[in-house]
Amino acid sequence: MNTFDRAFERILKNKDNEFNCIPFPFERFSNFIPGIERHRYYLSTANSGVGKSQITDYLFVYNAFNHYLKNKDTFKLKIFYYSLEMNKEIKIIQGMSKR
């Protein structure tokens, strides 16, 4: 099977799924980027102190986890999080206080 056929088959398969991504909670933003898709890398970049870590945590950790809690039977959630600013313990404490 060639690449085009595999891609077309994947589109047809995903067409029947209720979710093919973890939707972002912002309606207008979702018109451009629908949500978190599998096998994609997302990079947050901006000047220091403008809230990159907070928006990244909100969209890719807390929003993803809340979506998972509502739809546990439909997918597995695995988050790889690499921070150059904070150590693991601080990040976990931050997440616990958020919940």
Side-chain angles (χ1 to χ4, degrees):
M1 185 181 291
N2 67 33
T3 304
F4 179 82
D5 291 336
R6 284 195 310 269
F8 191 68
E9 184 177 300
R10 183 175 174 187
I11 289 169
L12 292 177
K13 179 182 165 192
N14 284 338
K15 188 176 173 184
D16 297 330
N17 291 340
E18 185 175 351
F19 300 107
N20 62 357
C21 67
I22 298 173
F24 286 136
F26 307 121
E27 187 176 333
R28 285 185 3 206
F29 184 67
S30 293
N31 289 331
F32 301 99
I33 303 173
I36 304 167
E37 297 180 59
R38 290 181 73 177
H39 307 291
R40 300 273 185 246
Y41 290 99
Y42 297 89
L43 179 66
S44 300
T45 181
N47 291 332
S48 96
V50 297
K52 293 180 301 290
S53 295
Q54 284 72 26
I55 192 71
T56 301
D57 289 350
Y58 180 73
L59 291 176
F60 294 95
V61 178
Y62 306 128
N63 178 56
F65 185 67
N66 289 335
H67 183 75
Y68 169 74
L69 290 177
K70 294 176 188 172
N71 304 284
K72 281 183 189 178
D73 300 333
T74 59
F75 71 99
K76 292 181 182 179
L77 179 67
K78 186 182 284 189
I79 298 172
F80 295 98
Y81 191 104
Y82 300 98
S83 175
L84 301 175
E85 300 168 344
M86 289 188 205
N87 67 27
K88 270 192 238 182
E89 186 177 325
I90 298 296
K91 190 50 82 172
I92 289 170
I93 290 169
Q94 188 182 48
M96 291 170 76
S97 66
K98 170 77 172 140
R99 290 298 290 168

